[in-house]
């Protein structure tokens, strides 16, 4: 089988936010590679994010399934995107697809649930290129019907798929995923603790979900904490070295699970800490929940409380993350 090649027909960005120059990835691309002779393809699934604040209303239309949000909510989200300038989620996802394709020597496609390239468009292209089997991996390692369940529904659609679908339901406890997070934690935490003068307590985080989701039996809360525990074990943390919090609670739709990061920061302050280190283990790359929620909002919140806040670098283009994804695919192909 010939090595996958770059699809030179895809448009390019004038300035790459990842500093990749001529190897930049465009958010409107469905696949980083042209068709190959392989009968199996990989489909990476992600939430999706707009490229600029002006696209927020259209983006939120997809997120809510057409439900209208209060104008103040729309403007608040637009404001957050304006503060970070650009959300690189699509860029990092396409970079991971490229690295994974080179590792596997298989075509790797990307589909986003709420923005371009849409999952339905990716599925259409895969079908047109005649692939017989697709291994789909959601880039949200912890399974929840509010995330993974919706991604699967988007892939399956309302008609019969033209290929056999092998959908990876969860991979929150994969050893290489834990190692990838641990590598980032080890490097960032040691440096931050040295700057602070004492060992910083770590707050592991994942995105919150509606409380009713967990009440109905969803495994997401348990799996998120299991990921954190595996990462803590990898860096030889004791139970006193870390806590867990859920971040980015929704602005509507009833109660969301906690404790919140704000509550956790206050709790650590009450115990005498004057600094915290946040490590989001529910996200694989930089996007608004990292670049705004942590780097801007939580940092300002901590500052007002007389606390300093540091964050672990996101996995982004981590080769260990690529290795984890590759092993997931290979394990499915061996089955």
């Amino acid at each position: 089988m010939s090595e996958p090649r770059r699809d030179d027909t895809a448009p390019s960005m004038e300035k790459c936010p990842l500093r990749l120059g001529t190897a930049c990835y465009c958010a409107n691309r469905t696949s980083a590679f042209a068709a190959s002779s392989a009968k199996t393809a990989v489909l990476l699934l992600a939430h999706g994010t707009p490229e600029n604040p002006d696209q927020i209303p259209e983006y939120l239309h997809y997120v809510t399934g057409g439900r209208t949000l209060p104008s103040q909510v729309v403007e608040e989200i637009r404001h957050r995107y304006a503060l970070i300038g650009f959300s690189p989620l699509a860029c990092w996802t396409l970079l991971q697809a490229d690295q994974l394709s080179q590792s596997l020597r298989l075509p790797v496609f990307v589909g986003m649930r709420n923005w371009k390239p849409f999952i339905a468009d990716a599925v259409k292209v895969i079908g047109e290129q005649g692939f017989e089997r697709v291994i789909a991996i959601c880039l949200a390692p912890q399974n929840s019907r509010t995330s993974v369940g919706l991604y699967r529904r988007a892939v399956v659609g309302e008609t019969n798929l033209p290929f056999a679908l092998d959908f990876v339901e969860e991979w929150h406890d994969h050893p290489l995923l834990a190692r990838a997070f641990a590598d980032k934690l080890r490097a960032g935490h040691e440096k931050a603790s040295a700057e602070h003068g004492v060992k910083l307590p770590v707050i592991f985080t994942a995105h919150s979900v509606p409380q009713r989701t967990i009440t109905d039996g969803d495994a997401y809360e348990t799996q998120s904490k299991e990921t954190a525990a595996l990462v803590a074990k990898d860096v030889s943390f004791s139970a006193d070295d870390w806590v867990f919090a859920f971040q980015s609670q929704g602005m509507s739709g009833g109660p969301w699970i906690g404790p919140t990061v704000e509550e956790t920061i206050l709790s650590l302050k009450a115990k005498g800490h004057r600094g915290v280190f946040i490590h989001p283990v529910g996200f694989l790359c930089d996007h608004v929940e990292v670049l705004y929620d942590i780097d801007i909002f939580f940092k300002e919140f901590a500052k007002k409380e007389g606390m300093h806040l540091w964050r672990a670098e996101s996995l982004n283009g981590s080769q260990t993350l690529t290795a984890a994804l590759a092993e997931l695919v290979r394990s499915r192909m061996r089955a």
Side-chain angles (χ1 to χ4, degrees), residues 53-321:
D54 291 338
Q55 296 169 331
I56 291 298
E58 182 185 357
Y59 163 71
L60 292 176
H61 176 83
Y62 296 121
V63 172
T64 65
R67 178 171 54 87
T68 302
L69 291 173
S71 59
Q72 62 267 29
V73 173
V74 176
E75 289 308 310
E76 172 59 26
I77 296 173
R78 192 201 301 267
H79 174 65
R80 294 178 183 184
Y81 273 82
L83 287 176
I84 67 172
F86 176 84
S87 176
L89 183 148
C91 296
W92 285 121
T93 305
L94 288 164
L95 175 60
Q96 276 296 337
D98 192 341
Q99 293 179 176
L100 182 60
S101 183
Q102 293 180 35
S103 175
L104 294 170
R105 296 296 187 264
L106 289 174
V108 178
F109 295 81
V110 168
M112 305 286 183
R113 190 168 70 85
N114 296 307
W115 201 249
K116 309 163 189 176
F118 291 108
I119 292 173
D121 294 333
V123 169
K124 181 180 179 182
V125 171
I126 292 171
E128 290 173 347
Q129 294 190 10
F131 292 102
E132 298 176 358
R133 182 188 184 192
V134 172
I135 300 172
I137 303 174
C138 182
L139 298 180
Q142 300 87 12
N143 191 328
S144 171
R145 62 182 175 85
T146 62
S147 57
V148 178
L150 295 176
Y151 291 113
R152 184 182 187 116
R153 194 180 310 166
V155 173
V156 174
E158 298 179 358
T159 60
N160 292 329
L161 291 173
F163 48 76
L165 176 65
D166 186 351
F167 195 97
V168 178
E169 296 286 350
E170 60 193 47
W171 52 292
H172 68 286
D173 56 354
H174 195 287
L176 287 175
L177 175 68
R179 184 184 303 172
F181 279 128
D183 289 344
K184 297 295 185 182
L185 173 58
R186 191 176 291 108
H189 185 254
E190 289 179 359
K191 181 180 179 181
S193 294
E195 291 178 4
H196 189 55
V198 295
K199 186 176 182 179
L200 290 162
V202 172
I203 305 174
F204 290 111
T205 71
H207 201 295
S208 183
V209 296
Q211 180 62 56
R212 64 179 181 276
T213 302
I214 304 302
T215 303
D216 290 342
D218 199 287
Y220 175 79
E221 180 178 13
T222 298
Q223 291 188 1
S224 297
K225 293 176 180 179
E226 286 177 353
T227 301
L230 289 171
V231 177
K233 181 179 180 180
D234 195 290
V235 296
S236 301
F237 274 8
S238 71
D240 295 330
D241 292 329
W242 63 279
V243 293
F244 195 94
F246 287 97
Q247 67 168 85
S248 312
Q249 281 76 8
M251 301 180 191
S252 60
W256 289 54
I257 62 173
T260 67
V261 171
E262 299 95 310
E263 292 167 344
T264 306
I265 289 174
L266 292 176
S267 175
L268 290 170
K269 177 184 176 181
K271 295 179 180 179
H273 294 286
R274 291 297 175 263
V276 296
F277 188 90
I278 293 184
H279 192 16
V281 294
F283 308 130
L284 301 185
C285 70
D286 287 336
H287 48 71
V288 68
E289 281 86 357
V290 174
L291 301 177
Y292 173 79
D293 290 7
I294 299 177
D295 291 354
I296 296 177
F297 182 78
F298 294 150
K299 183 167 286 189
E300 283 298 315
F301 180 86
K303 183 178 180 180
K304 290 177 181 178
E305 295 296 329
M307 305 270 283
H308 295 284
L309 184 148
W310 290 262
R311 169 178 68 84
E313 180 182 315
S314 297
L315 297 188
N316 292 331
S318 164
Q319 291 290 344
T320 308
L321 172 59

